[in-house]
């Protein structure tokens, strides 16, 4: 028996291994089986080259659990090791410069994976003791047994083993007993070893017999040694790809289409990326791309390897150029990873462009599912916008699709304003904004359907990208002001009539939570609605953007701002104004007269005082000015009270206000109930 020390102290290497080597203890099983698979593949290579003349036999890697003995055993029939090789690859793991080694990796212990054969030592994260029973494939080699209890000491002794290969026996520590459960091991094997290139068996397959599940003689092979991405695309059909997708994501809908990646220069990369059907909720479908290194699962956290917007895709990426010790700092700095990211973006864009060119109708049918993905890509990746702008589509409210250039040509004549700006009109809800859409259609305008989750930020992006263009929601203003064609607007009311009309409606507006409503008067034509509610494009967009961008919370806290626009050309509005003038004339006559008198006096006082320096104005003059201002305000309050009392009893005023609110989904609760009752009363009249 040989005893020895691996040359490091307990205070150094094993705490690093046990505590910091991997973020998840469960990785030990991947490492152990990866080593076994690697040894098996080397055996196959030796045989193929003629360096080994014997029979390869069964090359299955086997995993077994003995719950009573508290052991996990990983067995292979690979190349095995001699006693000298054990000393080289196991004992001398850190045979020189151990202190420098530990100092170098103390802050980022994940990076030590792949250095000095430390992958094997991940076994000590879950084990009190580890044994290796191994026999080399070399002629005359004898079996040996290596054992270590996690201290720097080890033992090597002779052993019994009939065939080449290795058994790794892990004596599981009490605090890791969950790894002795069959279901736990099955879960880890399915997660990490599902596509390893050598058969991996865990126990035997079972069948239902005599009222219970019993083992059969057939190995329970848990992996597919030739997953779809390793095969030549020309040998595969659509059903092959769909079937593989169902294997990866059993509960998901069928994908729209896919991309088979296969490149060997300037880096090695294979894989299959699927386009799922995504319409909303960005986070729901994230982290569905699985990263492999030579068919060994690494992670499903692929940020940094693929651009952020591509994390919405599903599928697998396999690259030996990405080591098993994937860390964010590594991914952000590695040149090969950046090349891979650029390549994948290009392949995705090329695939989308080919679909558009080869089958535009089919592409349009998929657009509602593709839209979120493509918009996300254009917003987050400048280079993707440059590629996608030629096949990305606009959809109008009639369900027709246009490229950006096609749509610009379509609306250029009708929707260019007096300043030469091209105005793109859009709706976020064609049902709620129906009347606004219809009014725009009467004008010959086209309206885009922007009801997607990312349409608000994309609108701002389009305004930056498109030359001399502006986007406006169709309910942002009355139809004549959405696209200004002329400088002058026609006025049909003098200022007094306009002020009285606005006061009638302003005094009857409901108090809405976190909302302010302003009143305006505009001559819109007899055929247009009598009252319209609009919302400022700028403020509404800023509030929407605050949902997506940090630092814009100020806008989210601001009240919504609306304009209630009265159509002075409409017969009902004219009727309200005429009725108001008739029924308030007597009460308002002395008030209006007094207002004019006080306004004249105030103007005269201001004129006199404006010619003086502040210190030259006497206290008496200041008091006179203040009293006149108060007297004027008192008269205005009287006028307001007279008009308010009139308006309160005018059912048409209330009906018109409620109709406008109802049209915008702003009439609820008691106000809605009062509107319904009033509607019945008006009908009965």
């Amino acid at each position: 028996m040989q005893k020895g020390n691996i040359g490091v102290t307990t205070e150094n290497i094993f705490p690093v291994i046990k505590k910091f080597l991997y973020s998840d203890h469960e990785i030990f099983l991947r490492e152990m089986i990866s080593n076994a698979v690697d040894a098996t593949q080397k055996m196959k290579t030796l045989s193929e080259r003629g360096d080994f003349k014997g029979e390869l036999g069964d090359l299955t890697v086997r995993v077994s659990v003995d719950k009573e003995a508290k052991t996990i055993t990983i067995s292979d029939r690979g190349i095995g090791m001699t006693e000298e090789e054990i000393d080289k690859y196991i004992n001398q793991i850190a045979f020189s410069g151990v202190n420098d080694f530990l100092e170098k990796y103390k802050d980022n212990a994940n990076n030590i994976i792949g250095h000095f054969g430390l992958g094997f030592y991940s076994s000590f994260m879950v084990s009190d003791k580890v044994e290796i029973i191994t026999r080399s494939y070399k002629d005359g080699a004898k079996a040996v047994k290596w054992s270590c209890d996690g201290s720097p000491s080890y033992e090597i002794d002779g052993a019994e083993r009939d065939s080449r290969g290795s058994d790794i026996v892990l004596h599981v520590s009490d605090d890791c007993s969950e790894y002795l459960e069959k279901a736990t091991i099955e879960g880890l094997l399915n997660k990490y070893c599902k596509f390893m290139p050598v058969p991996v068996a865990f126990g035997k397959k079972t069948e239902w017999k005599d009222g219970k599940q019993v083992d059969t003689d057939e190995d329970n092979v848990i992996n597919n040694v030739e997953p779809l991405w390793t095969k030549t695309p020309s040998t595969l059909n659509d059903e092959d790809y769909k079937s593989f997708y169902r294997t990866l994501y059993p509960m998901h809908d069928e994908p729209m289409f896919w991309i088979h990646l296969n490149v060997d220069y300037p880096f090695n990369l294979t894989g299959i990326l699927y386009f799922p059907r995504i319409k909303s909720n960005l986070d729901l479908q994230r982290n569905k791309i699985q990263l492999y290194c030579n068919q060994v699962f690494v992670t499903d956290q692929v940020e940094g390897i693929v651009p952020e917007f591509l994390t919405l895709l599903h599928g697998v990426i396999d690259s030996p150029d990405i080591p098993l010790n994937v860390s964010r700092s590594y991914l952000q700095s590695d040149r090969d990873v950046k090349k891979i990211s650029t390549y994948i973006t290009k392949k995705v864009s090329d695939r989308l462009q080919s679909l558009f060119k080869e089958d535009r109708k089919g592409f349009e049918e998929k657009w509602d599912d593709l839209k979120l993905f493509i918009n996300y890509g254009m917003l987050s990746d400048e280079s993707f916008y440059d590629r996608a702008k030629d096949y990305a589509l606009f959809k109008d409210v009639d369900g027709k699709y246009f490229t950006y250039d096609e749509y610009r040509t379509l609306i250029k004549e009708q929707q260019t304003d007096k300043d030469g700006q091209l105005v793109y009109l859009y709706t976020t809800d064609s049902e709620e904004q129906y009347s606004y859409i219809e009014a725009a259609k009467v004008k010959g305008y086209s309206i885009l359907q922007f009801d997607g989750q990312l349409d608000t930020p994309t609108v701002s992006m389009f305004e930056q990208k498109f030359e001399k263009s502006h986007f406006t929601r169709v309910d942002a203003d009355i139809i004549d002001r959405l696209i200004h064609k002329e400088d002058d607007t026609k006025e049909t009311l003098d200022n007094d009539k306009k002020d009285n009309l606005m006061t009638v409606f302003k005094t009857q507006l409901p108090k809405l939570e976190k909302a302010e409503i302003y009143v305006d008067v505009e001559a819109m034509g007899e055929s247009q609605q009598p009252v319209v509610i609009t919302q400022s494009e700028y403020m509404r967009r800023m509030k929407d953007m605050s949902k997506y961008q940090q630092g814009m919370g100020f806008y989210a806290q601001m009240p919504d701002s609306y304009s209630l626009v009265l159509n002075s050309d409409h017969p009902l509005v004219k009727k309200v104004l005429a009725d108001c003038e008739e029924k308030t004339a007597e009460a308002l006559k002395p008030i209006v007269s007094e207002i004019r008198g006080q306004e004249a006096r105030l103007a005269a006082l201001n004129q006199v005082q404006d010619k003086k320096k502040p210190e030259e104005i006497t206290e008496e003059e200041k008091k006179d000015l203040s009293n006149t201002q108060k007297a004027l305000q008192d008269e205005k309050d009287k006028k307001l009270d007279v008009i308010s009392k009139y308006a309160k009893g005018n059912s048409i005023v209330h009906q018109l206000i409620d109709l406008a609110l109802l049209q915008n989904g702003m009439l609820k609760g008691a106000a809605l109930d009062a509107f319904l009752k009033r509607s019945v009363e008006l009908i009965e009249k």
Side-chain angles (χ1 to χ4, degrees), residues 318-329:
D318 191 334
S319 176
D321 294 326
I322 300 177
L324 294 180
N325 62 313
V326 173
S327 65
R328 290 191 182 275
S329 60

Side-chain angles (χ1 to χ4, degrees), residues 9 11 193 229 575 659:
T9 64
E11 291 77 25
C193 309
W229 75 80
K575 181 179 179 180
L659 282 171

Side-chain angles (χ1 to χ4, degrees), residues 167-214:
D167 294 336
I168 312 296
V169 184
L170 312 182
H171 293 263
V172 178
S173 56
D174 290 339
D175 61 350
C176 294
S177 59
E178 69 269 21
Y179 294 112
L180 295 172
E181 299 294 333
K182 180 181 178 182
T184 301
I185 297 299
E186 282 181 338
L188 294 181
L189 291 172
N190 188 61
K191 179 177 180 179
Y192 292 109
C193 309
K194 194 172 184 177
F195 299 112
M196 282 188 171
V198 170
V200 178
F202 180 50
K204 300 293 183 179
K205 288 187 176 180
T206 61
E207 65 180 11
W208 187 260
K209 189 175 183 180
D210 298 330
K212 59 181 179 179
Q213 289 291 134
V214 297

Side-chain angles (χ1 to χ4, degrees), residues 47-105:
S47 178
E48 291 167 358
R49 290 194 320 211
D51 296 334
F52 176 72
K53 305 296 184 181
E55 292 292 327
L56 285 178
D58 183 9
L59 296 179
T60 303
V61 173
R62 287 183 164 77
V63 181
S64 60
V65 174
D66 188 330
K67 198 169 183 178
E68 290 187 6
K70 298 182 179 180
T71 61
I72 300 172
T73 302
I74 298 96
S75 302
D76 68 70
R77 295 189 72 252
I79 58 174
M81 288 183 286
T82 63
E83 185 173 338
E84 292 77 12
E85 288 168 334
I86 285 181
D87 186 58
K88 179 179 179 181
Y89 297 119
I90 304 298
N91 297 338
Q92 298 183 41
I93 179 174
F95 56 82
S96 65
V98 65
N99 290 328
D100 292 339
F101 168 79
L102 289 170
E103 180 65 25
K104 181 178 180 180
Y105 293 107

Side-chain angles (χ1 to χ4, degrees), residues 80-149:
M81 288 183 286
T82 63
E83 185 173 338
E84 292 77 12
E85 288 168 334
I86 285 181
D87 186 58
K88 179 179 179 181
Y89 297 119
I90 304 298
N91 297 338
Q92 298 183 41
I93 179 174
F95 56 82
S96 65
V98 65
N99 290 328
D100 292 339
F101 168 79
L102 289 170
E103 180 65 25
K104 181 178 180 180
Y105 293 107
K106 68 178 181 180
D107 295 327
N108 192 1
N110 277 336
N111 282 344
I112 65 179
I113 305 169
H115 292 270
F116 308 98
L118 279 174
F120 164 75
Y121 279 89
S122 65
S123 58
F124 284 98
M125 291 191 300
V126 299
S127 307
D128 292 329
K129 179 181 178 182
V130 177
E131 298 172 330
I132 304 174
I133 299 99
T134 184
R135 179 176 175 180
S136 173
Y137 75 95
K138 296 174 182 177
D139 292 338
K142 295 181 180 180
V144 293
K145 178 180 179 180
W146 176 94
S147 63
C148 178
D149 62 2

